Amino acid sequence: MNLAQWIRQRREQGKKERGTVAVTAILGFTSFILAAGLAIDVSHMYLTGSELQNAADASAVAGASVLNGDESGVTLAVNTALATQNKFEFAKDLATFTRADVTFAKNVGGTYYSEASARSIADQIRFVKVSIPNKSIGVPFAQVALGENTVAISRSSVAGFSSGLQVLCDSIVPLSAVQDDITKAPLDVDSQCPNKWAFTPGCKYVIRRGSNGNNTGWVSPGNYLILALGASRGGNDARAGVAGSAAGCFKAGDCVGTQTGIETGPIKQGLDTRFGNYGSGLTSDIFPPDVNIKESISYQDYLDELDKVQTGGNHTGARWQAPGNGLTGRVGRRVIVIPIINVRQFNNGNDTVCIDHFAAFFLNKSIQGNGDIYAEYITTKVQVSDGYFSGGTDQNNQFSIPVLYK
């Protein structure tokens, strides 16, 4: 091969090599783009799944937070879950679901019931499941691998009652009811209660003594069943406490201070917020009224009327009154949690008393004058704003907080 032939051959070979490099570069760049696009699609699917899961979690917890052992709580849970629907796809689309997608169970791993079926066993319902149906998500780069440019993603979540709380936080009203140290019989019972030997649902009990309340002889003079929880002292703290301000964390056996003086004005002003009446610096944004401020009704009346409103029916005017002045009510504000104290704790001028246990009461009416304040004892499930289970034997399963399970 002469020099001219060798040069010509090298030129032809160089052209082929350049072409091969160009093709390889194009293929490599294309693969890189597809890989990057696939990574974007996978990240999009992961983010969307997380957004849908967060939406399901929020709706399930919201629904569980209003379960109350009554038919009204089941329907209220559905309505609350639906009202808590969140957005996904970078807050552009609503993570919609229907009433049929909200189901209920007695146990986390048990059978889940429709709203209608759950209403018939409402006293046994403890869990809410929210299922968000398939949402179509665009994945244009994954089409090469999947053959489709969209994928369907769905999520579900279960929330329900916590274990019975042994420690209650920020939920206790600084009033109290007294019981016999030995028999545990309540000592300040409304005369119409048929059972004077035990706290009985539907019966009313004194939770603050009036100006003539010390004539009973149950407690020593100067005690009006008002407590000073934590660092609380004086009328201002009593007012805020009965309105619903934080009081700290307490459990059975803890000893707390007592507050002397009847505190008629502060106690009335604090409890009145629950009926939509405000004064002395208390505001509805911190202390909202109840959704039903009708006075002289029983707790069952309250639940029955709540159920009518939640199911779209007409409430009974004689047992329902929405708060006025444009105020937005909150379910359960008329339910209060107070300590039960053994009567001897109030004897001999003690300035501290120890808590025997906690109980829930319903405020049948607002406060009038400076007489005894009565409230109706209830035993249905009560959810509080905060608290925890400290271990040991669970002797009081009435109080709980909504917990996310799965």
Side-chain angles (χ1 to χ4, degrees), residues 112-370:
Y112 279 79
Y113 302 91
S114 67
E115 176 185 356
S117 297
R119 283 174 58 87
S120 66
I121 52 172
D123 60 330
Q124 303 174 57
I125 293 299
R126 300 179 66 244
F127 301 94
V128 178
K129 181 178 182 179
V130 172
S131 301
I132 298 180
N134 283 336
K135 305 300 178 186
S136 183
I137 309 301
V139 284
F141 293 102
Q143 185 173 6
V144 176
L146 301 177
E148 300 285 345
N149 61 1
T150 61
V151 295
I153 298 178
S154 64
R155 290 292 186 270
S156 65
S157 182
V158 175
F161 294 150
S162 68
S163 298
L165 302 178
Q166 293 170 323
V167 181
L168 300 181
C169 302
D170 305 343
S171 306
I172 306 167
V173 168
L175 304 176
S176 60
V178 292
Q179 65 180 15
D180 184 85
D181 296 59
I182 305 302
T183 66
K184 304 303 180 182
L187 299 181
D188 286 327
V189 191
D190 180 71
S191 60
Q192 297 181 0
C193 179
N195 183 0
K196 302 297 192 296
W197 300 104
F199 283 99
T200 305
C203 287
K204 300 173 186 177
Y205 303 86
V206 174
I207 60 173
R208 192 223 59 183
R209 289 286 179 82
S211 59
N212 62 348
N214 287 311
N215 295 326
T216 62
W218 298 128
V219 299
S220 59
N223 282 307
Y224 296 90
L225 307 185
I226 305 172
L227 304 179
L229 302 176
S232 298
R233 293 293 185 275
N236 289 337
D237 288 338
R239 178 188 297 109
V242 296
S245 69
C249 296
F250 301 91
K251 64 182 182 300
D254 283 351
C255 297
V256 299
T258 61
Q259 185 156 305
T260 59
I262 191 172
E263 302 291 1
T264 300
I267 298 299
K268 174 176 172 55
Q269 291 159 358
L271 291 180
D272 269 357
T273 64
R274 300 169 187 268
F275 292 88
N277 299 316
Y278 295 88
S280 300
L282 302 178
T283 60
S284 61
D285 58 329
I286 300 176
F287 306 112
D290 201 291
V291 293
N292 183 2
I293 63 172
K294 188 68 176 181
E295 300 194 42
S296 301
I297 62 172
S298 69
Y299 185 55
Q300 191 58 55
D301 290 337
Y302 177 87
L303 294 176
D304 290 344
E305 295 305 310
L306 178 63
D307 191 43
K308 291 178 183 178
V309 172
Q310 292 301 314
T311 53
N314 294 322
H315 56 74
T316 304
R319 300 189 303 185
W320 180 273
Q321 180 182 347
N325 301 318
L327 297 176
T328 299
R330 192 175 75 195
V331 174
R333 277 282 286 160
R334 290 173 67 172
V335 174
I336 61 173
V337 178
I338 67 171
I340 305 299
I341 310 293
N342 289 329
V343 68
R344 289 185 186 176
Q345 294 287 321
F346 281 106
N347 289 345
N348 303 319
N350 289 344
D351 58 4
T352 61
V353 296
C354 299
I355 299 170
D356 185 80
H357 65 282
F358 299 100
F361 292 81
F362 176 71
L363 294 171
N364 303 97
K365 59 182 180 179
S366 62
I367 310 310
Q368 305 295 326
N370 59 0

